[in-house]
Amino acid sequence: MANSSARPPRSDRRRNHERLLAVATDLIACDGAGVSLEEIARRAGVGSATLHRHFPSRRALLEEVFHEGVERLCGRARELGRDDPGTGLATWLEELTLYTTNNRGLATSLMSGAGELPPEDTCHGMLLDAADDLVARAVEAGVARPGVSAADLIVLTNAISLATEGDPATAGRLLRLALEGVHP
Amino acid sequence: MANSSARPPRSDRRRNHERLLAVATDLIACDGAGVSLEEIARRAGVGSATLHRHFPSRRALLEEVFHEGVERLCGRARELGRDDPGTGLATWLEELTLYTTNNRGLATSLMSGAGELPPEDTCHGMLLDAADDLVARAVEAGVARPGVSAADLIVLTNAISLATEGDPATAGRLLRLALEGVHP
DNA sequence: ACAATAAATGGGGTGGTGCTCCGTTTGACC
DNA sequence: GGTCAAACGGAGCACCACCCCATTTATTGT
């Protein structure tokens, strides 16, 4: 499937990619996802054209920045699904909310499901897959109503993080509210 | 309280204010809250300085654009609180969500509660007041758990609108999910 | 070791933005 | 009408995303 005639990337390319990613991670963590791309390039010591060559859109950059953390969250979902089908979903959603709330910009990155990148190694796709399984188990265990979909839950936690960005306490409270419901 | 020595605004000021507001309303409705302020000024036929003189921040502009609709929603809250304390809250939240989802940008405008403007004629403040009463009646009627606060509910609906912007169907579904809860 | 070559780079240009001076116009009031 | 503060608008500033193209650099074959 992959074009095997492609030569491995040059060493300077790899080096710059790493540098950009590292700087972007730092800057996004402290200033949010709206940070200036020029600034990232500047601090990484590369021209702005190089940044745009490596990451054709802000979205693409964010996807790579958060890839590792999202992968960890997916692993955690598998773990919880295996060990604790009962409260696993709730626990995972709480962890997800905490992560997206603390990583200003992930929520933004998750927003638009469809993009120009490959279908299912976007953060959104990865989390969706992980959640699907967890939700199925939860419904099976009778701790989640049959109607709920993983997609909706992802969007909901995403929404909460987006609106409470930087305030984990409120985010957690809203998530629990949504899980328990407003009606008694 | 208000400085009564202030002269009434000049006619051209009033005219420009109206024009700007009208153009902004149209443009925001079709392009979202991020629309270019320059563009608004251009289409209103005024210099960009004039726009900034009338609305010192984007936030201030959004507040005025949505003021009327928000006031209507507040009236509706009083109405529902009076007539139907039972399902009034749920109905109102649904209407609120529908409105904020259809008016791209209101959610953005509601986000930051505290600003540089007067405390309680911001959209956020107005809705908060209206919701407070409605929530109190709902708790009293036993249809809402005692823990829930109006502020949290506003943020929650706001979050949903923000994350589903432009998709009322999803927004409604998520709201109902949050009202009923994930657990059975 | 070195030449050939494609890959990768970065400076500078373009067109856009939000915002602010400051000289000029204009409406209101006598 | 004349006066004067109120209001205006264009030009200017700093910043941004994004792109073009001449130049540099890593790799590979000899």
Side-chain angles (χ1 to χ4, degrees):
Chain A
M1 197 61 75
N3 187 356
S4 57
S5 75
R7 281 204 268 172
R10 255 165 57 168
S11 61
D12 52 346
R13 179 173 184 82
R14 252 180 301 131
R15 199 169 42 86
N16 283 335
H17 201 84
E18 257 175 46
R19 278 164 107 104
L20 282 168
L21 224 40
V23 171
T25 303
D26 281 6
L27 236 40
I28 287 171
C30 90
D31 293 347
V35 78
S36 155
L37 300 181
E38 298 287 324
E39 179 69 13
I40 294 174
R42 220 173 292 133
R43 293 213 196 181
V46 305
S48 60
T50 297
L51 183 146
H52 284 99
R53 225 174 279 117
H54 282 256
F55 307 99
S57 68
R58 168 171 253 113
R59 176 86 199 285
L61 174 61
L62 293 174
E63 286 285 347
E64 278 203 47
V65 164
F66 292 116
H67 187 88
E68 189 182 318
V70 167
E71 222 164 29
R72 199 166 43 235
L73 277 170
C74 291
R76 186 79 179 119
R78 280 187 292 276
E79 199 178 310
L80 285 165
R82 190 183 340 109
D83 299 352
D84 185 0
T87 63
L89 177 61
T91 305
W92 188 72
L93 287 176
E94 205 135 349
E95 290 180 13
L96 172 61
T97 304
L98 188 69
Y99 184 80
T100 54
T101 304
N102 282 333
N103 290 271
R104 314 179 39 149
L106 212 203
T108 314
S109 163
L110 289 171
M111 289 254 334
S112 55
E116 63 284 348
L117 353 171
E120 248 39 344
D121 45 43
T122 82
C123 292
H124 184 84
M126 291 169 64
L127 287 174
L128 202 55
D129 278 355
D132 253 336
D133 193 54
L134 210 47
V135 170
R137 286 171 194 263
V139 171
E140 209 171 307
V143 297
R145 287 193 287 108
V148 310
S149 76
D152 280 355
L153 286 179
I154 296 279
V155 176
L156 188 60
T157 56
N158 188 26
I160 290 173
S161 299
L162 212 47
T164 63
E165 205 154 15
D167 180 357
T170 309
R173 193 152 27 87
L174 288 182
L175 176 64
R176 261 158 301 176
L177 177 61
L179 289 180
E180 303 301 330
V182 171
H183 305 312
Chain B
M1 197 63 75
N3 188 354
S4 57
S5 76
R7 281 203 266 173
R10 258 165 55 171
S11 61
D12 52 347
R13 179 172 183 81
R14 251 180 302 131
R15 197 166 44 84
N16 283 336
H17 201 84
E18 258 175 45
R19 278 164 105 104
L20 282 168
L21 224 41
V23 170
T25 304
D26 281 6
L27 236 41
I28 287 171
C30 90
D31 294 347
V35 78
S36 156
L37 300 182
E38 298 287 324
E39 179 69 13
I40 293 174
R42 220 173 291 135
R43 294 213 195 180
V46 304
S48 61
T50 296
L51 183 145
H52 289 283
R53 227 175 276 119
H54 282 258
F55 308 99
S57 68
R58 168 172 253 113
R59 176 85 199 285
L61 175 60
L62 293 174
E63 286 285 348
E64 278 203 47
V65 163
F66 292 117
H67 187 89
E68 190 182 318
V70 167
E71 221 164 29
R72 200 167 40 236
L73 277 171
C74 291
R76 185 80 178 119
R78 281 187 291 274
E79 198 178 310
L80 285 166
R82 190 184 338 109
D83 300 352
D84 185 1
T87 63
L89 178 62
T91 307
W92 187 72
L93 288 177
E94 204 135 347
E95 291 181 12
L96 172 61
T97 304
L98 188 69
Y99 183 80
T100 54
T101 304
N102 282 333
N103 291 269
R104 314 179 40 149
L106 212 205
T108 314
S109 163
L110 289 171
M111 288 254 334
S112 54
E116 63 283 350
L117 352 171
E120 249 37 346
D121 46 42
T122 81
C123 292
H124 185 84
M126 293 169 62
L127 287 175
L128 202 55
D129 279 355
D132 253 336
D133 194 55
L134 210 48
V135 170
R137 287 172 193 262
V139 171
E140 209 171 307
V143 297
R145 289 193 287 109
V148 309
S149 77
D152 279 356
L153 285 179
I154 296 279
V155 176
L156 189 61
T157 57
N158 187 26
I160 290 173
S161 300
L162 211 47
T164 64
E165 204 154 14
D167 180 357
T170 309
R173 193 152 28 87
L174 288 181
L175 177 65
R176 260 157 302 174
L177 177 60
L179 289 180
E180 302 302 331
V182 172
H183 306 312

